């Protein structure tokens, strides 16, 4: 049995270091980190991780991402921390979004007034599309 890669530094050089809860424990020769063999369980598809981080960067809240993707808001927070994602502060703009199918998206883009006075991003969301618009806050 070859040692699995170290989760901290990705080194393949490790020695056996005991057994905990019927799972083999390893010690990385490169960084000294102790770890066990990966748990067998449900793993989140990387598509959802990337999509959640994209939505977070676009200004969508953790709870809203949870509702949209069906992934726990705690998982999203953990991914943000894990990958060191920082969202730039925007005070002049605020995002709004809509979930559209292909026909609705096409109809939206056919109206020129929909394309003025706002930033716009469209991203795939399963079999639909998410359109995010940024409009300036209007004083008044």
């Amino acid at each position: 049995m070859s040692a699995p890669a170290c989760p901290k530094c990705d080194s393949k050089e490790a020695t056996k270091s005991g057994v905990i809860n019927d799972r083999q424990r390893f010690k990385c020769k490169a960084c000294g980190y102790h770890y066990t063999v990966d748990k067998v369980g449900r793993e989140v598809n990387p598509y959802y991780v990337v999509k959640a981080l994209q939505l977070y960067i676009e200004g969508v809240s953790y709870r809203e991402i949870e509702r949209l993707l069906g992934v726990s808001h705690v998982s999203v927070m953990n991914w943000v921390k894990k990958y060191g994602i920082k969202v730039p502060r925007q005070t002049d703009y605020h995002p709004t979004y809509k979930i559209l199918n292909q026909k609705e998206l096409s109809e939206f883009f056919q109206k020129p007034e929909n394309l003025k006075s706002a930033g716009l991003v469209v991203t795939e969301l399963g079999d639909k599309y998410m359109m995010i618009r940024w409009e300036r806050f209007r004083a008044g």
Side-chain angles (χ1 to χ4, degrees):
M1 171 172 145
S2 67
C6 173
K8 199 167 189 181
C9 71
D10 271 344
S11 171
K12 298 272 188 201
E13 297 295 315
T15 58
K16 289 184 177 182
S17 182
V19 175
I20 294 179
N21 295 331
D22 296 326
R23 293 188 344 192
Q24 179 65 56
R25 187 172 190 223
F26 296 94
K27 181 178 181 184
C28 178
K29 288 181 179 178
C31 70
Y33 184 72
H34 283 90
Y35 59 100
T36 58
V37 177
D38 290 339
K39 288 190 269 184
V40 177
R42 195 174 76 118
E43 193 168 309
V44 177
N45 185 325
Y47 168 85
Y48 291 103
V49 176
V50 170
K51 197 55 66 176
L53 293 174
Q54 284 176 337
L55 294 174
Y56 176 74
I57 288 170
E58 302 302 340
V60 180
S61 73
Y62 292 129
R63 298 262 182 188
E64 202 58 34
I65 295 169
E66 177 179 48
R67 286 191 271 287
L68 290 167
L69 298 179
V71 176
S72 165
H73 67 278
V74 176
S75 293
V76 178
M77 284 190 282
N78 290 335
W79 297 332
V80 167
K81 279 188 219 170
K82 179 179 179 180
Y83 296 107
I85 304 296
K86 301 239 188 273
V87 176
R89 286 276 181 225
Q90 288 291 340
T91 55
D92 294 342
Y93 296 90
H94 70 282
T96 58
Y97 66 88
K98 291 181 183 176
I99 307 294
L100 305 169
N101 63 30
Q102 188 173 2
K103 181 177 184 258
E104 293 166 332
L105 187 64
S106 175
E107 289 169 358
F108 179 87
F109 280 114
Q110 289 175 4
K111 297 177 185 170
E113 64 271 14
N114 288 337
L115 304 177
K116 294 181 181 171
S117 302
L120 187 67
V121 170
V122 176
T123 184
E124 172 210 9
L125 195 61
D127 62 344
K128 298 199 178 195
Y129 298 91
M130 175 180 236
M131 180 183 62
I132 303 170
R133 287 175 55 103
W134 291 271
E135 297 179 271
R136 284 187 187 269
F137 283 116
R138 292 197 171 87

